[in-house]
Amino acid sequence: MNHAMFYCFRNAFLILYRKERRPVLVLAVTMLLSIPIMPLEFILVQSFIDQIGAWTASDSMGSILMAVVWIGVLMFVNNIVLGVPVPLAMTRLNEVGTLEEQRMIVEKTSKLPLLSIESATVKDLRERAVQVSIYEVYHTGLQILQLSLQLSLLMLLILQFGQWIPVVTVVAVAILLSYVSGKSAASLEHLQRAQASRRRMIRYYADLMTERSSAKEVRMFGLGSLFMNRWNALYQKQSKDRIRVVRASEIRKFGPELLLAVIAGLLIALVILLPGSKQMTSGDFALLYLALTTVLSQLPELINQVTTMKRHAMKWQDFRAYLDLEEDPCIRENDIHVEKGACNLQLCVQDIWFRYPDSEVDSIQGISFTVPPGCRVALVGENGSGKSTLVKLILGLYPPNAGEITWLNTREGSKEHVTGSASISAVFQDFTRLHLTVRENVGLGNVGVMAHDVMLLDSLETAGSKFTNLEMQLGVPFGGIDPSGGEWQKIATARAILRDASFIVFDEPTAALDPQAEKAAFEQFIQLTEGRSALLITHRLGAAKLADVILVMQEGRIVEQGTHDELMLLNGEYRRMFDVQASWYV
């Protein structure tokens, strides 16, 4: 094995060994102990044949029977003693390895910055990373080691008879075939990498045709056939590309494999003509024949395992590349906890800039503002003005390219930097609909109080939700009920309320509500943010009037700032948007 193959084999061994030692050791020990059994069987066969050839009626059968007994003992040891534990260990290691590789990828994904999770490049890398099999890497490495040592012993037996020509010839052809097979394996794995994005698209079309969330529109607009045709076209393209590469690989290997087959036949036929053959006994011929034919039959298997290991090594590079991605430094335990309900959290945004990867323009351009303790701020602007991006920056979901966002805990005239998000809560427009119980949907906002029914019910009531059965399952996929969009939003609001944070972000909190519920939601906003700092992102400028300060965004900048009355007097962007919305009600 080369360095890359040895590296992934060693790491697969260490991962499995740390998780469950017994099956790792059982598989390794049984496979290694089986190595000398085949050469020993051949030697016993040699002895048996020679004894049969020299036996006469007056001779004892004891030595012949003893050779037969020893052959039987070796077969019992190989097939029963060493053979039975192997499938059990393999099954267990397959389970452990599959669970561990999935755990490592999921855990890593949970620690990545939001920008990485949203990146198509990272998604393609993850698609390639999940192709790795820790168990297969370990098992293939053991098979290479077993076959290599076993073939080495058999070739030593052949060399004992002075038959160096077959050994040299077989090794030379094996090196050639290994080189060609390695090139073929690399071609196949490069294709596998290149097809990662297309595989994701194939799954996406399959999800569109099968998921409940898209079923209504697929049926309403008759899109089933269109999506099916696209799915089929992508699949056929994948298949054709793979067939092309496999065909080229097999053609490339045809010459060396044919050469090996021809040489194998010639070597077996010419054994009796090689130097020293006249001095060999029948048992010697049998041993030489068995050893040579076994080497010739197992050599392609060894080459195949080495080729497979090379592909595993390439997959392992993607696996490690994904696990080595830079993690989000903000995902950690809180260093400072602000007293619950205290109105002492201040947000300072200083000249921040942000540009999405692969974009040519800045989405956020030199924004600065301060939200003092207990202040309600409304953020308004047309679609595409940068509101959602700014909120993600404020919450630490995106890192700014320049500038600084600081959370300060102001106590008795002093200021302390606050890290983590224990004192910050948010209700997003695209909130998560958790297909869990009502208790879990709300309680995950503050896991420490999930068992406190009174606190959970108070949060639901404050959010305006009608749910009182905390054990009710939500989500049709798991046999639960499917609340309306507005009710889901109230549950998400209850989750945010339970956190009892000093700073609350409301991202379009009335997007899924009817006019009456919308009015109640804004009244709730006033109630919930009493004595707290809050940021309200909204398209409804009537709601913005509730804020102490309004920030108006346009093309990534804050172009206006002030109260509702002050901004109306400016006759600027805010006045224009307000008049446009007001015209719908006149």
Short mmCIF file of all heavy atoms in Angstrom, two decimals, residues 313-367:
data_model
loop_
_atom_site.label_atom_id
_atom_site.label_comp_id
_atom_site.label_asym_id
_atom_site.label_seq_id
_atom_site.Cartn_x
_atom_site.Cartn_y
_atom_site.Cartn_z
N ALA A 313 -9.04 5.37 -0.76
CA ALA A 313 -8.14 6.44 -0.34
C ALA A 313 -8.57 7.79 -0.91
O ALA A 313 -8.49 8.82 -0.24
CB ALA A 313 -6.71 6.12 -0.75
N MET A 314 -9.04 7.79 -2.15
CA MET A 314 -9.51 9.03 -2.76
C MET A 314 -10.79 9.51 -2.07
O MET A 314 -10.99 10.72 -1.85
CB MET A 314 -9.74 8.82 -4.25
CG MET A 314 -8.46 8.53 -5.03
SD MET A 314 -8.73 8.24 -6.80
CE MET A 314 -9.17 9.90 -7.33
N LYS A 315 -11.68 8.56 -1.74
CA LYS A 315 -12.89 8.93 -0.99
C LYS A 315 -12.52 9.47 0.38
O LYS A 315 -13.13 10.42 0.88
CB LYS A 315 -13.81 7.71 -0.84
CG LYS A 315 -14.52 7.27 -2.10
CD LYS A 315 -15.45 6.11 -1.80
CE LYS A 315 -16.33 5.74 -3.00
NZ LYS A 315 -15.57 5.13 -4.08
N TRP A 316 -11.49 8.85 0.98
CA TRP A 316 -11.07 9.29 2.32
C TRP A 316 -10.54 10.72 2.28
O TRP A 316 -10.72 11.47 3.23
CB TRP A 316 -10.01 8.35 2.86
CG TRP A 316 -9.78 8.52 4.33
CD1 TRP A 316 -8.91 9.38 4.94
CD2 TRP A 316 -10.45 7.82 5.39
NE1 TRP A 316 -8.99 9.26 6.31
CE2 TRP A 316 -9.92 8.31 6.61
CE3 TRP A 316 -11.42 6.83 5.42
CZ2 TRP A 316 -10.36 7.83 7.85
CZ3 TRP A 316 -11.85 6.35 6.66
CH2 TRP A 316 -11.32 6.85 7.84
N GLN A 317 -9.90 11.11 1.20
CA GLN A 317 -9.42 12.49 1.07
C GLN A 317 -10.59 13.47 1.12
O GLN A 317 -10.50 14.52 1.78
CB GLN A 317 -8.66 12.64 -0.25
CG GLN A 317 -7.32 11.92 -0.29
CD GLN A 317 -6.66 11.99 -1.65
OE1 GLN A 317 -7.23 12.52 -2.62
NE2 GLN A 317 -5.46 11.47 -1.77
N ASP A 318 -11.69 13.14 0.45
CA ASP A 318 -12.88 14.00 0.50
C ASP A 318 -13.49 14.00 1.90
O ASP A 318 -13.94 15.03 2.40
CB ASP A 318 -13.92 13.53 -0.52
CG ASP A 318 -13.47 13.76 -1.95
OD1 ASP A 318 -12.74 14.74 -2.19
OD2 ASP A 318 -13.82 12.95 -2.82
N PHE A 319 -13.51 12.82 2.52
CA PHE A 319 -14.04 12.68 3.88
C PHE A 319 -13.26 13.56 4.85
O PHE A 319 -13.84 14.32 5.64
CB PHE A 319 -13.97 11.21 4.29
CG PHE A 319 -14.50 10.89 5.66
CD1 PHE A 319 -15.83 11.10 5.96
CD2 PHE A 319 -13.66 10.37 6.64
CE1 PHE A 319 -16.33 10.79 7.23
CE2 PHE A 319 -14.15 10.06 7.90
CZ PHE A 319 -15.49 10.28 8.19
N ARG A 320 -11.93 13.48 4.79
CA ARG A 320 -11.10 14.28 5.67
C ARG A 320 -11.20 15.78 5.33
O ARG A 320 -11.20 16.63 6.22
CB ARG A 320 -9.63 13.86 5.56
CG ARG A 320 -9.27 12.56 6.25
CD ARG A 320 -9.71 12.47 7.68
NE ARG A 320 -9.54 13.70 8.44
CZ ARG A 320 -10.01 13.86 9.67
NH1 ARG A 320 -10.68 12.89 10.25
NH2 ARG A 320 -9.84 14.99 10.32
N ALA A 321 -11.29 16.08 4.03
CA ALA A 321 -11.41 17.49 3.62
C ALA A 321 -12.68 18.10 4.21
O ALA A 321 -12.68 19.26 4.64
CB ALA A 321 -11.43 17.59 2.10
N TYR A 322 -13.74 17.32 4.25
CA TYR A 322 -14.99 17.83 4.83
C TYR A 322 -14.85 18.01 6.34
O TYR A 322 -15.27 19.03 6.90
CB TYR A 322 -16.15 16.90 4.51
CG TYR A 322 -17.50 17.45 4.93
CD1 TYR A 322 -18.11 18.45 4.19
CD2 TYR A 322 -18.13 17.01 6.09
CE1 TYR A 322 -19.33 18.99 4.58
CE2 TYR A 322 -19.35 17.54 6.49
CZ TYR A 322 -19.94 18.53 5.72
OH TYR A 322 -21.15 19.06 6.12
N LEU A 323 -14.26 17.02 7.00
CA LEU A 323 -14.10 17.10 8.45
C LEU A 323 -13.12 18.20 8.86
O LEU A 323 -13.16 18.67 10.00
CB LEU A 323 -13.63 15.76 9.01
CG LEU A 323 -14.60 14.59 8.87
CD1 LEU A 323 -14.01 13.34 9.50
CD2 LEU A 323 -15.95 14.90 9.48
N ASP A 324 -12.26 18.62 7.94
CA ASP A 324 -11.27 19.66 8.24
C ASP A 324 -11.75 21.06 7.89
O ASP A 324 -10.99 22.03 8.05
CB ASP A 324 -9.95 19.38 7.49
CG ASP A 324 -9.23 18.16 8.04
OD1 ASP A 324 -9.49 17.78 9.20
OD2 ASP A 324 -8.42 17.56 7.31
N LEU A 325 -12.98 21.19 7.40
CA LEU A 325 -13.51 22.51 7.10
C LEU A 325 -13.54 23.37 8.36
O LEU A 325 -13.74 22.88 9.47
CB LEU A 325 -14.94 22.40 6.53
CG LEU A 325 -15.08 21.84 5.11
CD1 LEU A 325 -16.56 21.66 4.77
CD2 LEU A 325 -14.42 22.75 4.09
N GLU A 326 -13.33 24.65 8.17
CA GLU A 326 -13.29 25.57 9.31
C GLU A 326 -14.67 25.64 9.97
O GLU A 326 -15.68 25.81 9.29
CB GLU A 326 -12.85 26.96 8.85
CG GLU A 326 -12.67 27.94 10.00
CD GLU A 326 -12.14 29.29 9.52
OE1 GLU A 326 -11.81 29.40 8.31
OE2 GLU A 326 -12.06 30.21 10.34
N GLU A 327 -14.68 25.53 11.29
CA GLU A 327 -15.94 25.55 12.03
C GLU A 327 -16.30 26.97 12.45
O GLU A 327 -15.46 27.87 12.44
CB GLU A 327 -15.84 24.65 13.26
CG GLU A 327 -15.60 23.18 12.91
CD GLU A 327 -15.49 22.30 14.14
OE1 GLU A 327 -15.56 22.85 15.26
OE2 GLU A 327 -15.35 21.07 13.98
N ASP A 328 -17.56 27.13 12.81
CA ASP A 328 -18.05 28.43 13.26
C ASP A 328 -17.59 28.66 14.70
O ASP A 328 -17.97 27.90 15.60
CB ASP A 328 -19.58 28.46 13.20
CG ASP A 328 -20.15 29.84 13.45
OD1 ASP A 328 -19.42 30.70 13.99
OD2 ASP A 328 -21.32 30.07 13.12
N PRO A 329 -16.75 29.67 14.94
CA PRO A 329 -16.24 29.89 16.30
C PRO A 329 -17.33 30.32 17.28
O PRO A 329 -17.13 30.25 18.49
CB PRO A 329 -15.21 31.00 16.11
CG PRO A 329 -15.64 31.72 14.87
CD PRO A 329 -16.24 30.66 13.99
N CYS A 330 -18.47 30.75 16.77
CA CYS A 330 -19.54 31.21 17.66
C CYS A 330 -20.34 30.06 18.25
O CYS A 330 -21.12 30.26 19.18
CB CYS A 330 -20.50 32.14 16.90
SG CYS A 330 -19.73 33.68 16.37
N ILE A 331 -20.17 28.85 17.69
CA ILE A 331 -20.92 27.70 18.22
C ILE A 331 -20.13 27.13 19.39
O ILE A 331 -19.29 26.26 19.26
CB ILE A 331 -21.14 26.62 17.14
CG1 ILE A 331 -21.88 27.23 15.96
CG2 ILE A 331 -21.91 25.45 17.70
CD1 ILE A 331 -22.10 26.26 14.82
N ARG A 332 -20.39 27.68 20.56
CA ARG A 332 -19.71 27.23 21.77
C ARG A 332 -20.54 27.63 22.97
O ARG A 332 -21.54 28.33 22.87
CB ARG A 332 -18.33 27.88 21.87
CG ARG A 332 -18.35 29.41 21.90
CD ARG A 332 -16.96 29.96 22.04
NE ARG A 332 -16.96 31.40 22.14
CZ ARG A 332 -16.80 32.21 21.11
NH1 ARG A 332 -16.66 31.70 19.91
NH2 ARG A 332 -16.79 33.52 21.27
N GLU A 333 -20.14 27.19 24.13
CA GLU A 333 -20.86 27.54 25.35
C GLU A 333 -20.72 29.03 25.63
O GLU A 333 -19.71 29.65 25.30
CB GLU A 333 -20.31 26.74 26.54
CG GLU A 333 -20.53 25.23 26.42
CD GLU A 333 -21.99 24.88 26.42
OE1 GLU A 333 -22.75 25.56 27.15
OE2 GLU A 333 -22.39 23.95 25.70
N ASN A 334 -21.73 29.60 26.30
CA ASN A 334 -21.70 31.02 26.59
C ASN A 334 -20.65 31.33 27.66
O ASN A 334 -20.53 30.63 28.66
CB ASN A 334 -23.08 31.48 27.10
CG ASN A 334 -24.15 31.15 26.09
OD1 ASN A 334 -24.02 31.49 24.93
ND2 ASN A 334 -25.20 30.48 26.52
N ASP A 335 -19.90 32.39 27.43
CA ASP A 335 -18.91 32.81 28.41
C ASP A 335 -19.53 33.71 29.48
O ASP A 335 -19.11 33.70 30.62
CB ASP A 335 -17.76 33.56 27.72
CG ASP A 335 -17.06 32.67 26.70
OD1 ASP A 335 -16.86 31.49 27.01
OD2 ASP A 335 -16.71 33.16 25.62
N ILE A 336 -20.51 34.50 29.08
CA ILE A 336 -21.16 35.42 30.01
C ILE A 336 -22.66 35.30 29.83
O ILE A 336 -23.17 35.33 28.72
CB ILE A 336 -20.74 36.89 29.76
CG1 ILE A 336 -19.24 37.05 29.98
CG2 ILE A 336 -21.52 37.83 30.65
CD1 ILE A 336 -18.73 38.43 29.67
N HIS A 337 -23.37 35.12 30.91
CA HIS A 337 -24.82 35.02 30.86
C HIS A 337 -25.42 36.29 31.44
O HIS A 337 -25.13 36.66 32.57
CB HIS A 337 -25.31 33.81 31.65
CG HIS A 337 -24.85 32.51 31.08
ND1 HIS A 337 -25.55 31.83 30.12
CD2 HIS A 337 -23.73 31.77 31.32
CE1 HIS A 337 -24.90 30.72 29.79
NE2 HIS A 337 -23.79 30.67 30.52
N VAL A 338 -26.26 36.92 30.65
CA VAL A 338 -26.92 38.13 31.14
C VAL A 338 -28.11 37.71 31.99
O VAL A 338 -28.80 36.75 31.69
CB VAL A 338 -27.39 38.99 29.95
CG1 VAL A 338 -28.09 40.23 30.44
CG2 VAL A 338 -26.18 39.37 29.10
N GLU A 339 -28.34 38.42 33.07
CA GLU A 339 -29.45 38.10 33.95
C GLU A 339 -30.76 38.11 33.18
O GLU A 339 -31.04 39.00 32.40
CB GLU A 339 -29.51 39.15 35.08
CG GLU A 339 -30.61 38.87 36.09
CD GLU A 339 -30.68 39.96 37.14
OE1 GLU A 339 -29.74 40.77 37.19
OE2 GLU A 339 -31.65 39.99 37.89
N LYS A 340 -31.55 37.07 33.40
CA LYS A 340 -32.79 36.91 32.65
C LYS A 340 -33.70 38.11 32.85
O LYS A 340 -33.93 38.58 33.97
CB LYS A 340 -33.52 35.64 33.10
CG LYS A 340 -32.77 34.35 32.74
CD LYS A 340 -32.65 34.21 31.25
CE LYS A 340 -31.97 32.92 30.86
NZ LYS A 340 -31.81 32.77 29.43
N GLY A 341 -34.22 38.58 31.73
CA GLY A 341 -35.18 39.66 31.76
C GLY A 341 -34.56 41.02 31.96
O GLY A 341 -35.25 42.02 31.95
N ALA A 342 -33.26 41.08 32.20
CA ALA A 342 -32.62 42.37 32.44
C ALA A 342 -32.52 43.15 31.14
O ALA A 342 -32.22 42.61 30.10
CB ALA A 342 -31.23 42.17 33.03
N CYS A 343 -32.80 44.47 31.22
CA CYS A 343 -32.75 45.30 30.01
C CYS A 343 -31.39 45.98 29.93
O CYS A 343 -31.27 47.19 30.00
CB CYS A 343 -33.88 46.34 30.03
SG CYS A 343 -33.90 47.36 31.50
N ASN A 344 -30.32 45.14 29.85
CA ASN A 344 -28.98 45.71 29.89
C ASN A 344 -28.12 45.26 28.72
O ASN A 344 -26.90 45.32 28.79
CB ASN A 344 -28.29 45.34 31.21
CG ASN A 344 -28.36 43.84 31.47
OD1 ASN A 344 -28.79 43.08 30.61
ND2 ASN A 344 -27.95 43.43 32.65
N LEU A 345 -28.75 44.81 27.64
CA LEU A 345 -27.99 44.32 26.49
C LEU A 345 -28.01 45.37 25.38
O LEU A 345 -29.08 45.82 24.95
CB LEU A 345 -28.58 43.01 25.98
CG LEU A 345 -27.68 42.20 25.05
CD1 LEU A 345 -26.38 41.82 25.74
CD2 LEU A 345 -28.39 40.95 24.58
N GLN A 346 -26.83 45.76 24.94
CA GLN A 346 -26.70 46.80 23.91
C GLN A 346 -26.00 46.24 22.68
O GLN A 346 -25.00 45.53 22.79
CB GLN A 346 -25.89 47.97 24.47
CG GLN A 346 -25.61 49.07 23.45
CD GLN A 346 -24.94 50.27 24.09
OE1 GLN A 346 -25.52 50.91 24.97
NE2 GLN A 346 -23.71 50.55 23.68
N LEU A 347 -26.53 46.54 21.51
CA LEU A 347 -25.95 46.11 20.24
C LEU A 347 -25.25 47.28 19.57
O LEU A 347 -25.84 48.35 19.39
CB LEU A 347 -27.05 45.57 19.32
CG LEU A 347 -26.66 45.31 17.86
CD1 LEU A 347 -25.60 44.22 17.78
CD2 LEU A 347 -27.89 44.94 17.03
N CYS A 348 -23.98 47.07 19.21
CA CYS A 348 -23.22 48.09 18.51
C CYS A 348 -22.74 47.54 17.17
O CYS A 348 -21.97 46.56 17.13
CB CYS A 348 -22.01 48.53 19.33
SG CYS A 348 -22.43 49.23 20.94
N VAL A 349 -23.18 48.13 16.08
CA VAL A 349 -22.77 47.72 14.73
C VAL A 349 -21.92 48.85 14.16
O VAL A 349 -22.37 49.99 14.04
CB VAL A 349 -24.00 47.47 13.83
CG1 VAL A 349 -23.56 47.11 12.42
CG2 VAL A 349 -24.88 46.38 14.42
N GLN A 350 -20.66 48.51 13.82
CA GLN A 350 -19.71 49.54 13.43
C GLN A 350 -19.13 49.25 12.04
O GLN A 350 -18.31 48.35 11.87
CB GLN A 350 -18.57 49.63 14.46
CG GLN A 350 -19.06 49.98 15.86
CD GLN A 350 -17.95 49.92 16.89
OE1 GLN A 350 -17.06 49.08 16.79
NE2 GLN A 350 -18.01 50.80 17.88
N ASP A 351 -19.58 49.99 11.07
CA ASP A 351 -19.02 50.00 9.71
C ASP A 351 -18.81 48.59 9.15
O ASP A 351 -17.72 48.22 8.75
CB ASP A 351 -17.69 50.76 9.71
CG ASP A 351 -17.22 51.07 8.28
OD1 ASP A 351 -18.09 51.19 7.38
OD2 ASP A 351 -16.00 51.16 8.06
N ILE A 352 -19.89 47.80 9.13
CA ILE A 352 -19.74 46.43 8.65
C ILE A 352 -20.00 46.34 7.14
O ILE A 352 -20.83 47.04 6.58
CB ILE A 352 -20.68 45.45 9.40
CG1 ILE A 352 -22.16 45.81 9.17
CG2 ILE A 352 -20.36 45.39 10.87
CD1 ILE A 352 -23.11 44.73 9.66
N TRP A 353 -19.23 45.46 6.52
CA TRP A 353 -19.34 45.17 5.10
C TRP A 353 -19.45 43.65 4.94
O TRP A 353 -18.86 42.89 5.71
CB TRP A 353 -18.10 45.66 4.34
CG TRP A 353 -17.95 47.16 4.33
CD1 TRP A 353 -17.56 47.96 5.36
CD2 TRP A 353 -18.20 48.03 3.22
NE1 TRP A 353 -17.55 49.28 4.97
CE2 TRP A 353 -17.94 49.35 3.65
CE3 TRP A 353 -18.61 47.83 1.90
CZ2 TRP A 353 -18.07 50.45 2.82
CZ3 TRP A 353 -18.74 48.93 1.06
CH2 TRP A 353 -18.48 50.22 1.52
N PHE A 354 -20.20 43.26 3.92
CA PHE A 354 -20.34 41.81 3.68
C PHE A 354 -20.62 41.56 2.21
O PHE A 354 -21.42 42.26 1.57
CB PHE A 354 -21.48 41.22 4.51
CG PHE A 354 -21.70 39.75 4.26
CD1 PHE A 354 -20.86 38.80 4.82
CD2 PHE A 354 -22.74 39.32 3.44
CE1 PHE A 354 -21.05 37.45 4.57
CE2 PHE A 354 -22.93 37.97 3.19
CZ PHE A 354 -22.09 37.04 3.76
N ARG A 355 -19.93 40.54 1.68
CA ARG A 355 -20.14 40.11 0.30
C ARG A 355 -20.25 38.59 0.28
O ARG A 355 -19.42 37.89 0.88
CB ARG A 355 -18.98 40.56 -0.59
CG ARG A 355 -19.10 40.08 -2.03
CD ARG A 355 -17.93 40.53 -2.88
NE ARG A 355 -17.87 41.99 -2.99
CZ ARG A 355 -17.03 42.65 -3.79
NH1 ARG A 355 -16.17 41.97 -4.54
NH2 ARG A 355 -17.04 43.96 -3.83
N TYR A 356 -21.26 38.07 -0.39
CA TYR A 356 -21.41 36.62 -0.50
C TYR A 356 -20.29 36.05 -1.36
O TYR A 356 -19.81 36.71 -2.30
CB TYR A 356 -22.77 36.28 -1.13
CG TYR A 356 -23.93 36.42 -0.17
CD1 TYR A 356 -24.71 37.58 -0.17
CD2 TYR A 356 -24.25 35.41 0.72
CE1 TYR A 356 -25.78 37.73 0.70
CE2 TYR A 356 -25.32 35.54 1.59
CZ TYR A 356 -26.09 36.70 1.58
OH TYR A 356 -27.13 36.83 2.44
N PRO A 357 -19.85 34.83 -1.05
CA PRO A 357 -18.83 34.19 -1.88
C PRO A 357 -19.26 34.14 -3.35
O PRO A 357 -20.43 33.90 -3.65
CB PRO A 357 -18.73 32.78 -1.29
CG PRO A 357 -19.20 32.92 0.12
CD PRO A 357 -20.26 33.99 0.09
N ASP A 358 -18.32 34.39 -4.24
CA ASP A 358 -18.55 34.36 -5.68
C ASP A 358 -19.42 35.52 -6.18
O ASP A 358 -19.78 35.56 -7.36
CB ASP A 358 -19.19 33.03 -6.13
CG ASP A 358 -18.34 31.83 -5.75
OD1 ASP A 358 -17.11 31.96 -5.80
OD2 ASP A 358 -18.91 30.79 -5.39
N SER A 359 -19.76 36.46 -5.30
CA SER A 359 -20.53 37.64 -5.73
C SER A 359 -19.58 38.77 -6.07
O SER A 359 -18.47 38.86 -5.53
CB SER A 359 -21.49 38.08 -4.63
OG SER A 359 -22.17 39.27 -5.00
N GLU A 360 -19.99 39.64 -6.97
CA GLU A 360 -19.15 40.75 -7.39
C GLU A 360 -19.51 42.05 -6.70
O GLU A 360 -18.83 43.07 -6.88
CB GLU A 360 -19.26 40.94 -8.91
CG GLU A 360 -18.74 39.73 -9.71
CD GLU A 360 -18.84 39.95 -11.19
OE1 GLU A 360 -19.38 41.01 -11.60
OE2 GLU A 360 -18.37 39.09 -11.96
N VAL A 361 -20.58 42.05 -5.91
CA VAL A 361 -21.01 43.28 -5.23
C VAL A 361 -21.20 42.99 -3.74
O VAL A 361 -21.46 41.86 -3.33
CB VAL A 361 -22.33 43.83 -5.82
CG1 VAL A 361 -22.13 44.24 -7.26
CG2 VAL A 361 -23.45 42.81 -5.70
N ASP A 362 -21.05 44.03 -2.93
CA ASP A 362 -21.26 43.91 -1.49
C ASP A 362 -22.75 43.98 -1.19
O ASP A 362 -23.44 44.92 -1.61
CB ASP A 362 -20.54 45.03 -0.74
CG ASP A 362 -19.03 44.89 -0.85
OD1 ASP A 362 -18.53 43.79 -0.57
OD2 ASP A 362 -18.36 45.89 -1.21
N SER A 363 -23.25 43.02 -0.42
CA SER A 363 -24.66 43.03 -0.02
C SER A 363 -24.90 43.99 1.12
O SER A 363 -25.99 44.54 1.26
CB SER A 363 -25.09 41.61 0.39
OG SER A 363 -24.96 40.71 -0.68
N ILE A 364 -23.89 44.17 1.97
CA ILE A 364 -23.96 45.14 3.08
C ILE A 364 -22.78 46.09 2.93
O ILE A 364 -21.63 45.65 2.79
CB ILE A 364 -23.92 44.43 4.44
CG1 ILE A 364 -25.10 43.47 4.59
CG2 ILE A 364 -23.89 45.44 5.58
CD1 ILE A 364 -26.46 44.15 4.57
N GLN A 365 -23.06 47.38 2.98
CA GLN A 365 -22.02 48.36 2.66
C GLN A 365 -21.92 49.43 3.75
O GLN A 365 -22.72 50.37 3.80
CB GLN A 365 -22.33 49.03 1.32
CG GLN A 365 -22.51 48.03 0.17
CD GLN A 365 -22.95 48.71 -1.11
OE1 GLN A 365 -22.57 49.86 -1.38
NE2 GLN A 365 -23.75 48.02 -1.91
N GLY A 366 -20.97 49.25 4.65
CA GLY A 366 -20.64 50.29 5.63
C GLY A 366 -21.76 50.67 6.57
O GLY A 366 -21.98 51.86 6.81
N ILE A 367 -22.46 49.71 7.12
CA ILE A 367 -23.60 50.00 8.01
C ILE A 367 -23.12 50.17 9.44
O ILE A 367 -22.33 49.37 9.95
CB ILE A 367 -24.66 48.88 7.92
CG1 ILE A 367 -25.38 48.98 6.58
CG2 ILE A 367 -25.64 48.95 9.08
CD1 ILE A 367 -26.47 47.95 6.39
#
